[in-house]
Amino acid sequence: MASGIRSAPSAPAAHIVWDWNGTLLHDIDVVIEATNVSFAEIGIPPITLDRYRELYCVPVPRFYERLIGRLPSDEEWAVMDSTFHRHYFARADTAALAEGAAALLAGWQAAGRTQSVCSLAPHERLLPWVTRLGIHGHFLRVDGNTGDGVVAGKAAQMARHLSALATAPDGLDPARVVVIGDATDDAAAAAHAGAGAVLYTGGSHSRRSLLAAGVPVVDSLADAVRTAEEMLGNG
């Protein structure tokens, strides 16, 4: 199981589960660069950020089907996937926290509330990322994908994450949790685990596609936190 970062407080309060890529980490520019490098490998023209957000969906092969009118072959998928990840992780250190994220994390913690990170990013990369950016002390847990064959998607990952928090000495009730993410699967994962969700337009999806999830959609992390406060009430 992924590691905890610090001990839970004695009186659990409202809790935010943060997504990482595209939410706390503003990496969409690196994603577009890596995507276009991978496209070039099989002769697909480059894509703009706006078109990427309009078409993007999971599972990722479905995104490619929307773009080129067919599913990529196994060989094409293998080439694009390996090229994307090689380029992305070579450039990932250039990505910074989203605007205002550090202050929002500190403010939420200072108010006596708790927060954590749940991501499908590889766990062995996620923990050094969070630590390098100086925000590790704000979180009860940081859970990435451990690649152990158990997690099949964001919903399963979120269920495991909240289960670990619920079974801690001062366990959290999912009804007191709001997930903040940048993708429709963040909202689906939250609903699967019995939590609320707020979606942020700074990552991989367009506002139009996010609205289809049926949860609040905001244009800044500050608005996401304010909305989470309203959803959770005082505490």
Side-chain angles (χ1 to χ4, degrees):
M1 174 59 71
S3 63
I5 297 298
R6 65 180 178 84
S7 299
S10 59
H15 186 89
I16 288 175
V17 176
W18 294 93
D19 174 56
W20 182 244
N21 301 99
T23 304
L24 284 177
L25 186 72
H26 183 71
D27 64 347
I28 189 63
D29 297 328
V30 179
V31 168
I32 297 300
E33 288 179 18
T35 297
N36 284 329
V37 170
S38 71
F39 283 2
E41 288 291 308
I42 64 166
I44 299 175
I47 192 171
T48 65
L49 173 58
D50 287 344
R51 183 158 172 77
Y52 179 95
R53 284 175 167 162
E54 283 297 328
L55 295 177
Y56 184 76
C57 62
V58 291
V60 174
R62 187 77 52 80
F63 164 58
Y64 294 135
E65 182 180 25
R66 288 181 171 186
L67 181 67
I68 64 176
R70 61 175 175 82
L71 286 170
S73 68
D74 290 345
E75 293 78 11
E76 288 172 328
W77 168 249
V79 168
M80 287 192 294
D81 188 54
S82 63
T83 302
F84 174 89
H85 285 97
R86 183 172 64 253
H87 187 84
Y88 176 85
F89 286 117
R91 297 273 292 143
D93 283 349
T94 67
L97 290 175
E99 182 178 358
L104 290 167
L105 295 172
W108 188 264
Q109 183 179 5
R113 299 159 178 163
T114 58
Q115 54 201 327
S116 57
V117 174
C118 180
S119 172
L120 289 179
H123 187 70
E124 70 275 11
R125 292 183 181 270
L126 180 60
L127 277 176
W129 246 337
V130 172
T131 302
R132 184 171 63 250
L133 291 169
I135 57 174
H136 57 285
H138 296 309
F139 304 118
L140 297 183
R141 291 186 67 85
V142 173
D143 283 337
N145 189 352
T146 58
D148 58 9
V150 175
V151 176
K154 192 63 177 279
Q157 175 82 339
M158 187 66 67
R160 289 179 64 185
H161 182 77
L162 290 184
S163 177
L165 290 170
T167 57
D170 296 306
L172 293 173
D173 179 354
R176 298 289 296 148
V177 173
V178 169
V179 175
I180 297 178
D182 72 309
T184 53
D185 61 325
D186 291 307
H192 176 78
V198 179
L199 297 181
Y200 162 60
T201 61
S204 59
H205 283 48
S206 68
R207 168 175 279 276
R208 184 180 68 175
S209 62
L210 292 178
L211 287 170
V215 302
V217 175
V218 298
D219 296 319
S220 71
L221 292 188
D223 285 342
V225 170
R226 280 192 290 269
T227 302
E229 288 177 321
E230 292 168 2
M231 294 168 67
L232 293 168
N234 295 327

